[in-house]
């Protein structure tokens, strides 16, 4: 690669350029070679981002203490494997975009829960996380033709990604919407999609950088961690069922997990904080369970547990905008 | 000036926000909706914004500084809806 920047660094031009390059390699040579090709880039990224590296080791060390059965130690080797897993996810993303993830390589756990929602004709909110690869859900359109998924992202690059996405995939079963703040305009767009029976995926494990984000602190991997309230407030506005959604890779297969979190998010005025704490807590517990099952696939490369105590310590601001 | 639109908005506020304990007569059109007045919060504001933009087909931009003023009271809201629709 002649460009010195790692291709997954979220700089707009870099990402599109890098994605196209990897895509070309992927088309020509396939996943396996692609994986080898990105290894140096991943290593470079790992070496040059001490903040992300520290965060990764901190996360892995927490896992090591909280869940010794994962066999992780939180050392440099684990951390590098963590980063390599992230690189591999990027390639999976491409194949998912290209519609190459066949449904028969995907195990859908909680299929009945999803089918019930799809049959109802009304959409649902899928509360996901930066665990594994949400794009794999695109394979679900093979389960039910016409099912559409909208993924909400914080990134400013949603438009560009959408363009690349349609270049790559040629259909519109998956789209990204950038949401920087909760407002009625966004809610209306999403409500229309829900009413049309679409699925709206929101990441429940990332606190927006801008403004004064509302968070609820709940236990996560053995220590209190702030989770965003926004996704649940949005879900309450949409008045629809909320399912948790986690897509992880297991060797050569993918697993998509659906579970019903609630029929409808209700935040009664007199006990909003308590109600939010219940929803956020239930989600964090689910996320924790799935992190233990796929420990190297949770990709929040910043100090998740103390994110609002030392905002100045984020050396890589853009890091948090990764879609 | 107590008008039809203000009355409609009061009812919309009550049904949207499940304010069962009060009637539309209890809301003074000039009284602040948020904070001290009716005591609504930012989540109510979102709910209300959503309901109003759906019902009256008006665009509410959350980043617009004037939005806060439009939501100050029922009367301000009525003016806003009237001006935006016209």
């Amino acid at each position: 690669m002649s460009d010195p920047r790692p291709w997954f660094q979220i700089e707009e031009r870099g990402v599109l350029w890098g994605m196209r390059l990897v895509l070309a390699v992927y088309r020509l040579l396939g996943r396996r070679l692609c994986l080898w090709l990105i290894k140096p880039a991943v290593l470079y990224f790992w070496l040059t981002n001490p903040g992300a590296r520290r965060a990764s080791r901190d996360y892995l060390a927490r896992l090591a203490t909280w869940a010794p059965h994962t066999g992780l130690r939180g050392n440099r080797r684990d951390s590098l494997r963590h980063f390599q897993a992230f690189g591999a996810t990027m390639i999976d993303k491409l194949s998912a975009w290209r519609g190459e993830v066949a449904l028969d390589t995907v195990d859908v756990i909680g299929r009945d829960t999803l089918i019930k929602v799809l049959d109802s004709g009304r959409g649902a909110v899928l509360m996901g996380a930066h665990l594994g690869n949400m794009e794999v859900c695109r394979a679900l359109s093979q389960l039910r033709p016409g099912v559409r998924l909208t993924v909400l992202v914080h990134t400013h690059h949603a438009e560009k990604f959408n363009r690349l996405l349609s270049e790559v995939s040629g259909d519109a079963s998956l789209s990204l919407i950038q949401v920087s703040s909760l407002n009625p305009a966004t809610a209306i767009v999403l409500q229309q999609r829900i009413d049309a029976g679409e699925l709206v995926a929101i990441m429940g494990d990332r606190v927006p950088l801008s403004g004064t984000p509302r968070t609820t602190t709940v236990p996560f991997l053995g220590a209190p961690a702030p989770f965003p309230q926004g996704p649940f407030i949005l879900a309450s506005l949409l008045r629809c069922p909320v399912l948790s959604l986690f897509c992880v890779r297991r060797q050569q297969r993918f697993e998509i997990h659906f579970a019903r979190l609630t029929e409808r998010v209700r935040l009664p005025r007199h006990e909003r904080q308590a109600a939010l704490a219940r929803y956020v807590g239930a989600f964090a517990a689910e996320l924790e369970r799935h992190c233990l099952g796929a420990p190297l696939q949770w990709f929040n490369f910043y100090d998740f547990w103390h994110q609002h105590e030392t905002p100045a310590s984020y050396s890589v601001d853009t890091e948090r905008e990764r879609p | 000036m107590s008008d039809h639109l203000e009355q409609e908005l009061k009812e919309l506020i009550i049904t949207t926000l499940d304010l069962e304990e009060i009637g539309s007569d209890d809301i003074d059109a000039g009284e602040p909706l948020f904070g001290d007045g009716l005591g609504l919060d930012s989540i109510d504001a979102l709910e209300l914004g959503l309901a109003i933009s759906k019902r009256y087909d008006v665009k509410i931009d959350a980043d617009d500084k004037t939005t806060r003023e439009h939501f100050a009271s029922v009367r301000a809201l009525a003016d806003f809806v009237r001006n935006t629709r016209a």
Side-chain angles (χ1 to χ4, degrees):
Chain A
M1 281 183 215
S2 60
D3 193 310
R5 284 170 306 192
W7 61 267
F8 42 70
Q9 194 171 313
I10 211 72
E11 225 232 283
E12 199 162 292
R13 241 163 31 116
V15 162
L16 287 176
W17 180 89
M19 286 294 234
R20 287 206 172 92
L21 176 73
V22 175
L23 185 62
V25 175
Y26 181 87
R27 273 178 182 148
L28 277 170
L29 307 169
R31 179 172 196 273
R32 202 176 263 275
L33 264 168
C34 233
L35 266 179
W36 278 102
L37 277 173
I38 64 159
K39 272 182 195 274
V42 171
L43 181 64
Y44 174 84
F45 183 63
W46 185 76
L47 287 170
T48 52
N49 286 277
R53 204 166 61 223
R54 221 170 15 243
S56 154
R57 289 187 65 176
D58 174 55
Y59 159 70
L60 295 167
R62 284 171 196 274
L63 267 177
T65 318
W66 181 246
H69 66 270
T70 54
L72 293 167
R73 311 239 301 271
N75 53 18
R76 277 198 289 270
R77 190 174 158 272
D78 284 346
S79 171
L80 189 55
R81 282 172 63 211
H82 190 199
F83 276 61
Q84 299 285 10
F86 178 72
T89 313
M90 283 302 191
I91 293 173
D92 289 339
K93 229 181 253 294
L94 285 175
S95 64
W97 282 6
R98 280 164 56 83
E100 290 171 355
V101 177
L103 195 58
D104 58 15
T105 63
V106 177
D107 299 310
V108 184
I109 293 119
R111 185 188 287 248
D112 294 346
T113 308
L114 177 72
I115 297 278
K116 224 175 108 190
V117 163
L118 294 176
D119 283 347
S120 77
R122 196 142 187 274
V125 163
L126 305 176
M127 201 63 76
H130 291 80
L131 180 73
N133 201 348
M134 196 179 265
E135 274 90 341
V136 168
C137 283
R138 199 165 163 256
L140 292 174
S141 59
Q142 298 159 44
L143 180 75
R144 177 69 59 96
V147 62
R148 291 170 54 102
L149 175 69
T150 297
V151 180
L152 300 196
V153 292
H154 288 308
T155 173
H156 301 302
H157 315 313
E159 274 310 306
K160 301 244 172 183
F161 272 99
N162 268 334
R163 216 161 57 221
L164 185 63
L165 193 56
S166 60
E167 272 174 37
V168 171
S169 70
D171 76 21
S173 62
L174 175 70
S175 62
L176 308 179
I177 291 189
Q178 186 223 327
V179 179
S180 49
S181 65
L182 264 182
N183 61 52
T186 314
I188 285 176
V189 171
L190 296 178
Q191 199 163 60
Q192 284 163 350
R193 297 195 178 198
I194 294 281
D195 289 343
E198 299 187 17
L199 304 171
V200 173
I202 313 177
M203 302 296 195
D205 66 344
R206 188 156 297 182
V207 179
L209 262 185
S210 56
T212 41
R214 308 166 65 123
T215 59
T216 293
T217 299
V218 293
F220 182 57
L221 297 176
F227 278 75
Q229 294 182 345
F232 287 95
I233 295 175
L234 186 57
S236 83
L237 293 176
L238 297 176
R239 300 168 190 240
C240 64
V242 181
L243 312 183
S244 64
L245 158 70
F246 302 101
C247 311
V248 295
R249 181 177 252 279
R250 295 243 178 270
Q251 281 94 39
Q252 301 312 310
R253 298 181 66 77
F254 294 100
E255 273 177 19
I256 305 182
H257 295 257
F258 290 102
R260 181 166 290 256
L261 278 179
T262 180
E263 195 51 43
R264 188 185 145 183
V265 173
R266 287 173 204 275
L267 305 173
R269 188 167 303 97
H270 54 278
E271 53 139 18
R272 276 198 171 137
Q273 292 308 320
L276 277 166
R278 278 197 302 276
Y279 290 118
V280 171
F283 173 73
E286 274 287 289
L287 175 59
E288 180 177 286
R289 199 161 68 77
H290 288 279
C291 275
L292 296 185
L296 292 177
Q297 295 182 46
W298 191 59
F299 306 121
N300 269 328
F301 293 110
Y302 58 92
D303 189 357
F304 191 79
W305 282 263
H306 306 99
Q307 43 192 320
H308 289 289
E309 290 167 18
T310 51
S313 70
Y314 298 130
S315 51
V316 197
D317 260 16
T318 48
E319 167 60 15
R320 299 196 53 201
E321 289 176 358
R322 177 173 296 119
Chain B
M1 181 183 78
S2 172
D3 61 13
H4 180 65
L5 182 57
E6 283 180 9
Q7 186 60 30
E8 226 176 71
L9 282 167
K10 286 180 192 174
E11 278 156 23
L12 184 69
I13 290 170
I14 290 167
T15 50
T16 307
L17 305 180
D18 297 321
L19 299 172
E20 288 143 3
E21 64 277 21
I22 64 169
S24 58
D25 296 340
D26 297 328
I27 304 179
D28 185 298
E31 157 187 57
L33 288 173
F34 299 93
D36 290 344
L38 262 185
L40 305 183
D41 63 18
S42 56
I43 296 179
D44 292 319
L46 271 170
E47 287 250 30
L48 200 54
L50 182 60
I52 288 172
S53 33
K54 268 174 94 171
R55 170 92 154 253
Y56 298 105
D57 194 25
V58 295
K59 223 176 134 98
I60 296 170
D61 185 358
D63 300 326
D64 190 343
K65 296 271 183 288
T66 54
T67 301
R68 227 188 161 73
E69 290 156 32
H70 299 324
F71 278 73
S73 65
V74 170
R75 189 160 298 143
L77 262 179
D79 288 341
F80 167 66
V81 170
R82 223 176 271 123
N83 294 336
T84 317
R85 277 198 303 184

